[in-house]
Amino acid sequence: MLSNHRSRKKKKAAVTTQSTIAQSLVIIDPKTTELAPAFPLVSFLWPARTSTSQWIVLPLILMVVGLFRWAVGIWGYSGYRNPPMYGDFEAQRHWMEITTQLPISKWYFYDLQYWGLDYPPLTAYHSWLFGTIGFWIEPRWFTLGTSRGVEEQLLKVYMRATVLISEYVSYVPAAILFNRKIAKLRGASAWESDIVLVAVLLQPATILIDHAHFQYNTVMLGLVLASMNSILANRYLWSCFFFVGALCFKQMALYFAPAVFAYLVGICLIPRPNVLRFVTVSLVTILSFAVIFGPLLLGSLYESTKDSKLVDILEPPPTLRSLPLQINPKSWYYPLVLQLTQSIYRIFPFARGILEDKVANFWGCVHTIHKLNFYPTPMLQRFSMLATLISILPTCMTISLFPRKELVPWAMASSAWGFFLFSFQVHEKSVLLPLLPMTVLLGTEGGLGTEMRAWIGWANTLGVWTLFPLLKRDELRVPYAVLTLLWTYLLGLPPVSWSLYTPRQTELAAPTKLLHLTFYMAMLVWHVLEAFVAPPAGKPDLWVVINTLIGAAGFGICLLWCSWQLILRSGLMEDYFGVRIRLEKLGKVDIKEQKISKSQ
């Protein structure tokens, strides 16, 4: 008996031919008049532009970028041989022993003067997981009270491996999916997406902070990317879930929150109010917070029922004592309120002051000229909040009035720059947050073109340069130089290549060339002076202060550029002011096409 089954035709793999290669990736070789790679990264992936399978290309990319991460980990880390507090490496190790050796009700209360836990619960669960595995391998690494400052070589290998595993579970998959999605939306090939992926995964600042200095920022950044990818796929509920996850891993994800909130409000109101979407988005957001905080709160409630004296031992935070309503410590819900207020008090340390060391932001510059520590903290908090709101207001208004998913990376970059420059208690490492959405813009329309590559490359170079004083303290000069020069070489950027800024390069405006070259030369001169000229005896931090001032000026320009580009691409100028913006001339999205798609 003959079967009616017919085998499916296999889809042919998309082939990148000369006619389909983006103009930004190639140049005409004057000698052979044939297409040639526009910059070195394209050259490295040039053989894969044909029908090479992604099952071959992608594993090779992941192995190469993983090798660079592991090689950087051979060097020292934050606080190496620097007692009594050591550094971030010791903080992460200490949190692993806190979460594995203490009951959950004491996590946010234990020895707050020595690296007390001050990140949201998802970081605590992450520490518990790897602390449990590490304790099984070698209990001496995580024995509370006796393991402080332990610096065994095998422990270093284990801790480095936890960063690599965490990144390859969160950040790397999210980066791959985001690049694939954004390439599909604009009809780009997998080969072009691979070029962008390598540029994103080799971003020097992220590698140096997580794999050299030692932190787990890529987990939070991976969840942010997953949220952005869900927005591109119109999966708004998943976007809320992933973004809440990012907030509950590191509170610095708040840098993106206004832009994400404004976008979600926009899609609930425009083109017409969608009550169901608003309700579901709100419920999923609340439930996501409840799911993540649930183990901490319920575990504390359970432990308080087993030990009635536990509540008396734990000192209530100032947040709880300042509440207008007095809560009876004997009430059944008091342990829940106690844990919630204590975790919030630890997560948002307003009592520390407006500055965290010397940071290249607005307050760091003001403090250089006029000392801010003479002013009361509440007043500085209000000024900081007001300045931050003013800086992000145009971004939030634009993305809420024009809630288009291709504008989300621009809005998130602008919002993050505003927070970095003006918010309260900023770390120099927080520059990773605005650099993430800026760097993934390489995958958007015209992202690898001259103008976008110049701006994104300049911002990344400036960002990692402002991290140099921190990296120098950790003896990480060599990884800093190697990774920064490698990334700029691959993308054809200064100080390795100046081809984007030659007089023959007409795609980049003369003011932009002058601006970027001024900063590049300032960075190079600063490195020479810092290396060979000792600062005056009365000003030992002179070079660090100059680094801060130059960096803050550059980051302010990044904020203005991202905000302006968001407004241009939204069509706001066209719709409300009648200004004719010819973006297609610059290789960007045509506003006419955007209007047509919006009306449809």
Side-chain angles (χ1 to χ4, degrees), residues 188-232:
S189 65
W191 176 65
E192 293 179 52
S193 178
D194 289 335
I195 294 171
V196 176
L197 180 65
V198 174
V200 171
L201 294 183
L202 282 181
Q203 184 192 32
T206 304
I207 298 177
L208 288 166
I209 292 300
D210 274 25
H211 297 273
H213 176 83
F214 198 89
Q215 282 195 338
Y216 294 96
N217 292 293
T218 48
V219 178
M220 178 262 294
L221 296 176
L223 290 168
V224 170
L225 271 179
S227 177
M228 294 170 66
N229 184 59
S230 299
I231 288 175
L232 293 181

Side-chain angles (χ1 to χ4, degrees), residues 118-120 220 246-255 346-349:
D118 57 2
Y119 279 134
M220 178 262 294
L247 286 170
C248 290
F249 191 86
K250 284 201 172 188
Q251 59 270 36
M252 283 82 76
L254 278 170
Y255 285 27
R346 294 294 300 159
I347 292 168
F348 299 103

Side-chain angles (χ1 to χ4, degrees), residues 65 95 194 294 307 471 494-495 504 587:
V65 299
W95 294 346
D194 289 335
D307 184 1
L471 299 171
R504 291 179 299 176

Side-chain angles (χ1 to χ4, degrees), residues 97 107 118-119 210 240 287 312 337 353 359 364 380 388 446 470 491 501 517 529 531:
E97 67 183 3
W107 285 4
D118 57 2
Y119 279 134
D210 274 25
C240 295
L287 287 174
D312 299 327
V337 178
V359 183
L380 293 176
T388 305
L470 171 70
L491 290 177
Y501 299 94
L517 288 174
L529 293 175

Side-chain angles (χ1 to χ4, degrees), residues 303-313 329-330:
E303 289 171 4
S304 66
T305 58
K306 292 179 62 178
D307 184 1
S308 59
K309 297 181 180 180
L310 182 63
V311 174
D312 299 327
I313 298 173
K330 301 299 182 182

